Amino acid sequence: VGYAPRMDGVHDMGGMHGFGPVAVPGAERTHDEAWEVRAQMVGIMAQAVSRPRLEGLPPAEYLGSSYYVRWLLAAERGAVDRGLVEPADLDRWREAFAADPELEVPPSSGGDIAEEARRYVAAPFTLDPATDTRYEVGDQVRVRRCRPVRHHRCPRYVRGVEGQVEAVIGVDLVPGEPRAADEREPVYTVRFQSVDLWGRSDEPPFELMIDLWERYLEPA
């Protein structure tokens, strides 16, 4: 099946027009059906879904799917890539459920995934403190202009824009680098002005706080 992790893809739509309003009726709900959260958590616990895998979904499939369907599709591809299931199994289950929506779901043999998921979500997560940083709170910085070919966490709409360091969050793994490399660097919360990002409009000016790794920044 495979996938091509690339941040500069269809999913990086921040600030773009033509995709409808962000705030829609029911947007305050975390999910609409019980299977949605299960699909997300099972994908995480089975280590079948990652940001690069979500980003690697074909553009038409990505745009034509809801949030949790994307997680399900990525989980399916991850399960196949890891050898947990065969593509023929997925095809067979799709055909069976299409013929009978009330069909019993095949049981998992992976233990109590629900309990594992609850522990995973409840576990606190904190970053190690950053003791050697290039920037400090209050510094003016500019986001580097870049075209990364691997997974990263630098939205297109902030590149080349100046902002102010609001906080030094800590040290975290560098996105897109192999986990085995264990490459870490400081992460900052940077405050941006909407006028600097998109210019003036009928909407009142506002501020955005975006977390960015040190390599994405340069002195303003």
Side-chain angles (χ1 to χ4, degrees):
V1 178
Y3 64 98
R6 187 179 291 266
M7 180 67 174
D8 285 353
V10 66
H11 70 284
D12 189 6
M13 299 183 291
M16 295 177 63
H17 293 288
F19 294 95
V22 175
V24 298
E28 71 280 358
R29 296 194 301 271
T30 58
H31 60 283
D32 293 311
E33 300 181 37
W35 71 265
E36 296 175 324
V37 176
R38 290 202 302 270
Q40 184 181 40
M41 293 311 303
V42 168
I44 293 174
M45 299 311 299
Q47 298 180 9
V49 179
S50 63
R51 292 293 177 187
R53 199 178 298 280
L54 285 165
E55 294 163 9
L57 292 173
E61 194 170 34
Y62 187 95
L63 291 175
S65 304
S66 67
Y67 176 81
Y68 289 105
V69 169
R70 293 169 191 161
W71 276 87
L72 183 59
L73 292 171
E76 289 179 351
R77 285 160 172 74
V80 170
D81 290 346
R82 294 191 63 215
L84 301 177
V85 297
E86 296 294 330
D89 293 330
L90 295 176
D91 293 337
R92 175 169 51 82
W93 290 340
R94 289 192 190 98
E95 293 174 1
F97 292 136
D100 181 8
E102 301 301 322
L103 190 67
E104 184 177 350
V105 178
S108 168
S109 59
D112 189 353
I113 295 179
E115 182 56 35
E116 291 182 29
R118 280 191 286 269
R119 288 198 297 268
Y120 178 87
V121 173
F125 177 77
T126 57
L127 299 179
D128 293 333
T131 57
D132 183 16
T133 63
R134 185 177 184 184
Y135 307 107
E136 298 179 353
V137 172
D139 285 352
Q140 290 294 125
V141 294
R142 180 187 300 107
V143 182
R144 295 180 182 274
R145 291 193 179 277
C146 55
R147 289 294 301 274
V149 296
R150 290 187 292 180
H151 169 72
H152 63 94
R153 305 295 288 171
C154 184
R156 279 179 291 193
Y157 65 87
V158 301
R159 298 176 199 171
V161 181
E162 294 185 15
Q164 185 178 59
V165 175
E166 178 74 12
V168 181
I169 302 175
V171 177
D172 198 5
L173 288 168
V174 175
E177 297 296 325
R179 291 279 174 172
D182 196 38
E183 186 173 355
R184 301 168 186 265
E185 67 181 35
V187 182
Y188 305 85
T189 296
V190 181
R191 179 195 299 267
F192 295 93
Q193 304 298 323
S194 61
V195 173
D196 295 333
L197 293 167
W198 299 295
R200 299 191 180 278
S201 67
D202 294 336
E203 185 178 17
F206 56 93
E207 297 179 332
L208 282 81
M209 304 287 189
I210 300 179
D211 297 338
L212 296 166
W213 274 252
E214 189 169 83
R215 66 182 53 198
Y216 304 150
L217 304 173
E218 62 186 9

